[in-house]
Short mmCIF file of all heavy atoms in Angstrom, two decimals:
data_model
loop_
_atom_site.label_atom_id
_atom_site.label_comp_id
_atom_site.label_asym_id
_atom_site.label_seq_id
_atom_site.Cartn_x
_atom_site.Cartn_y
_atom_site.Cartn_z
N ILE A 20 -0.08 7.20 -5.64
CA ILE A 20 0.17 5.78 -5.41
C ILE A 20 -0.47 4.99 -6.54
O ILE A 20 -1.61 5.26 -6.93
CB ILE A 20 -0.34 5.29 -4.04
CG1 ILE A 20 0.10 3.85 -3.79
CG2 ILE A 20 -1.84 5.45 -3.91
CD1 ILE A 20 0.01 3.40 -2.34
N GLY A 21 0.29 4.08 -7.11
CA GLY A 21 -0.21 3.22 -8.17
C GLY A 21 0.25 1.80 -7.94
O GLY A 21 1.38 1.57 -7.53
N VAL A 22 -0.65 0.86 -8.19
CA VAL A 22 -0.34 -0.56 -8.05
C VAL A 22 -0.57 -1.24 -9.40
O VAL A 22 -1.60 -1.01 -10.04
CB VAL A 22 -1.22 -1.23 -6.97
CG1 VAL A 22 -0.89 -2.71 -6.85
CG2 VAL A 22 -1.05 -0.54 -5.63
N LYS A 23 0.38 -2.05 -9.82
CA LYS A 23 0.21 -2.78 -11.08
C LYS A 23 -1.09 -3.57 -11.04
O LYS A 23 -1.45 -4.15 -10.01
CB LYS A 23 1.38 -3.74 -11.30
CG LYS A 23 2.67 -3.10 -11.77
CD LYS A 23 3.71 -4.18 -12.03
CE LYS A 23 5.03 -3.57 -12.50
NZ LYS A 23 6.06 -4.61 -12.70
N LYS A 24 -1.76 -3.64 -12.18
CA LYS A 24 -3.02 -4.36 -12.23
C LYS A 24 -2.84 -5.82 -11.82
O LYS A 24 -3.70 -6.39 -11.16
CB LYS A 24 -3.60 -4.28 -13.64
CG LYS A 24 -4.05 -2.87 -14.03
CD LYS A 24 -4.64 -2.83 -15.42
CE LYS A 24 -5.10 -1.42 -15.76
NZ LYS A 24 -5.68 -1.35 -17.13
N SER A 25 -1.70 -6.41 -12.19
CA SER A 25 -1.45 -7.82 -11.86
C SER A 25 -1.19 -8.06 -10.38
O SER A 25 -1.21 -9.19 -9.92
CB SER A 25 -0.26 -8.34 -12.68
OG SER A 25 0.91 -7.60 -12.37
N ALA A 26 -0.92 -6.97 -9.62
CA ALA A 26 -0.59 -7.11 -8.20
C ALA A 26 -1.69 -6.59 -7.28
O ALA A 26 -1.52 -6.55 -6.07
CB ALA A 26 0.72 -6.38 -7.90
N ARG A 27 -2.82 -6.21 -7.84
CA ARG A 27 -3.89 -5.67 -7.01
C ARG A 27 -4.57 -6.77 -6.22
O ARG A 27 -4.57 -7.93 -6.61
CB ARG A 27 -4.90 -4.94 -7.89
CG ARG A 27 -4.29 -3.66 -8.48
CD ARG A 27 -5.20 -2.94 -9.43
NE ARG A 27 -4.51 -1.79 -10.01
CZ ARG A 27 -5.00 -1.02 -10.98
NH1 ARG A 27 -6.20 -1.28 -11.48
NH2 ARG A 27 -4.30 -0.02 -11.45
N GLY A 28 -5.12 -6.39 -5.08
CA GLY A 28 -5.77 -7.36 -4.20
C GLY A 28 -4.82 -8.02 -3.22
O GLY A 28 -5.24 -8.91 -2.46
N LYS A 29 -3.56 -7.60 -3.19
CA LYS A 29 -2.58 -8.20 -2.29
C LYS A 29 -2.32 -7.34 -1.05
O LYS A 29 -1.44 -7.66 -0.25
CB LYS A 29 -1.25 -8.42 -3.04
CG LYS A 29 -1.36 -9.38 -4.21
CD LYS A 29 0.00 -9.54 -4.90
CE LYS A 29 -0.09 -10.51 -6.08
NZ LYS A 29 1.22 -10.68 -6.76
N GLY A 30 -3.03 -6.25 -0.91
CA GLY A 30 -2.85 -5.40 0.26
C GLY A 30 -1.63 -4.49 0.20
O GLY A 30 -1.17 -4.01 1.24
N LEU A 31 -1.11 -4.23 -1.02
CA LEU A 31 0.11 -3.41 -1.12
C LEU A 31 -0.13 -1.97 -0.69
O LEU A 31 0.77 -1.32 -0.15
CB LEU A 31 0.64 -3.46 -2.56
CG LEU A 31 1.17 -4.82 -3.02
CD1 LEU A 31 1.65 -4.74 -4.47
CD2 LEU A 31 2.30 -5.30 -2.12
N LEU A 32 -1.33 -1.45 -0.95
CA LEU A 32 -1.65 -0.09 -0.51
C LEU A 32 -1.57 0.00 1.00
O LEU A 32 -0.91 0.88 1.56
CB LEU A 32 -3.04 0.30 -1.00
CG LEU A 32 -3.65 1.58 -0.43
CD1 LEU A 32 -2.78 2.78 -0.76
CD2 LEU A 32 -5.06 1.78 -0.95
N ARG A 33 -2.23 -0.91 1.68
CA ARG A 33 -2.22 -0.93 3.15
C ARG A 33 -0.80 -1.06 3.69
O ARG A 33 -0.39 -0.35 4.62
CB ARG A 33 -3.09 -2.08 3.66
CG ARG A 33 -3.14 -2.20 5.17
CD ARG A 33 -3.90 -3.43 5.60
NE ARG A 33 -5.31 -3.34 5.28
CZ ARG A 33 -6.22 -2.83 6.10
NH1 ARG A 33 -5.87 -2.37 7.29
NH2 ARG A 33 -7.49 -2.79 5.75
N LYS A 34 -0.02 -1.98 3.09
CA LYS A 34 1.35 -2.21 3.57
C LYS A 34 2.22 -0.97 3.41
O LYS A 34 2.99 -0.61 4.29
CB LYS A 34 1.96 -3.39 2.82
CG LYS A 34 1.30 -4.73 3.12
CD LYS A 34 1.82 -5.80 2.18
CE LYS A 34 1.02 -7.09 2.31
NZ LYS A 34 1.42 -8.10 1.32
N ALA A 35 2.10 -0.33 2.22
CA ALA A 35 2.93 0.85 1.98
C ALA A 35 2.61 1.97 2.97
O ALA A 35 3.52 2.59 3.54
CB ALA A 35 2.74 1.33 0.55
N LEU A 36 1.33 2.22 3.20
CA LEU A 36 0.96 3.27 4.14
C LEU A 36 1.39 2.93 5.55
O LEU A 36 1.84 3.79 6.32
CB LEU A 36 -0.55 3.51 4.09
CG LEU A 36 -1.11 4.06 2.77
CD1 LEU A 36 -2.61 4.28 2.90
CD2 LEU A 36 -0.40 5.34 2.37
N SER A 37 1.27 1.66 5.92
CA SER A 37 1.69 1.23 7.25
C SER A 37 3.18 1.44 7.45
O SER A 37 3.62 1.96 8.48
CB SER A 37 1.31 -0.24 7.45
OG SER A 37 1.78 -0.70 8.70
N GLU A 38 3.98 1.03 6.47
CA GLU A 38 5.43 1.13 6.61
C GLU A 38 5.91 2.57 6.60
O GLU A 38 6.82 2.94 7.35
CB GLU A 38 6.10 0.35 5.48
CG GLU A 38 5.91 -1.16 5.58
CD GLU A 38 6.74 -1.90 4.55
OE1 GLU A 38 7.84 -1.43 4.22
OE2 GLU A 38 6.28 -2.94 4.07
N LEU A 39 5.31 3.40 5.77
CA LEU A 39 5.82 4.75 5.60
C LEU A 39 5.25 5.74 6.61
O LEU A 39 5.92 6.72 6.94
CB LEU A 39 5.52 5.24 4.18
CG LEU A 39 6.29 4.54 3.07
CD1 LEU A 39 5.73 4.92 1.70
CD2 LEU A 39 7.78 4.88 3.14
N CYS A 40 4.04 5.50 7.09
CA CYS A 40 3.38 6.48 7.95
C CYS A 40 3.17 6.03 9.39
O CYS A 40 3.01 6.87 10.27
CB CYS A 40 2.03 6.88 7.35
SG CYS A 40 2.19 7.69 5.75
N GLY A 41 3.13 4.71 9.62
CA GLY A 41 2.87 4.26 10.97
C GLY A 41 1.57 4.83 11.50
O GLY A 41 0.52 4.68 10.89
N ASP A 42 1.64 5.53 12.64
CA ASP A 42 0.43 6.05 13.26
C ASP A 42 0.18 7.53 12.95
O ASP A 42 -0.69 8.15 13.54
CB ASP A 42 0.48 5.84 14.78
CG ASP A 42 1.64 6.60 15.42
OD1 ASP A 42 2.60 6.94 14.70
OD2 ASP A 42 1.58 6.84 16.65
N MET A 43 0.92 8.10 11.99
CA MET A 43 0.74 9.52 11.68
C MET A 43 -0.54 9.76 10.88
O MET A 43 -0.98 8.90 10.12
CB MET A 43 1.95 10.04 10.88
CG MET A 43 3.23 10.16 11.70
SD MET A 43 4.54 11.02 10.79
CE MET A 43 5.01 9.75 9.61
N PRO A 44 -1.12 10.94 11.01
CA PRO A 44 -2.26 11.29 10.17
C PRO A 44 -1.83 11.31 8.69
O PRO A 44 -0.69 11.65 8.38
CB PRO A 44 -2.64 12.70 10.64
CG PRO A 44 -2.03 12.83 12.00
CD PRO A 44 -0.78 12.01 11.97
#
């Protein structure tokens, strides 16, 4: 997983994991 430096701090990591994994380990 990589986030553009200009887009960091926007919670994109959290959002991506939430959308793709939901409640899975």
Side-chain angles (χ1 to χ4, degrees):
I20 187 163
V22 179
K23 283 184 180 178
K24 292 181 179 180
S25 61
R27 291 176 184 174
K29 298 180 180 180
L31 293 179
L32 169 60
R33 179 185 292 270
K34 293 171 189 174
L36 295 182
S37 176
E38 292 187 33
L39 292 169
C40 297
D42 62 339
M43 289 189 287

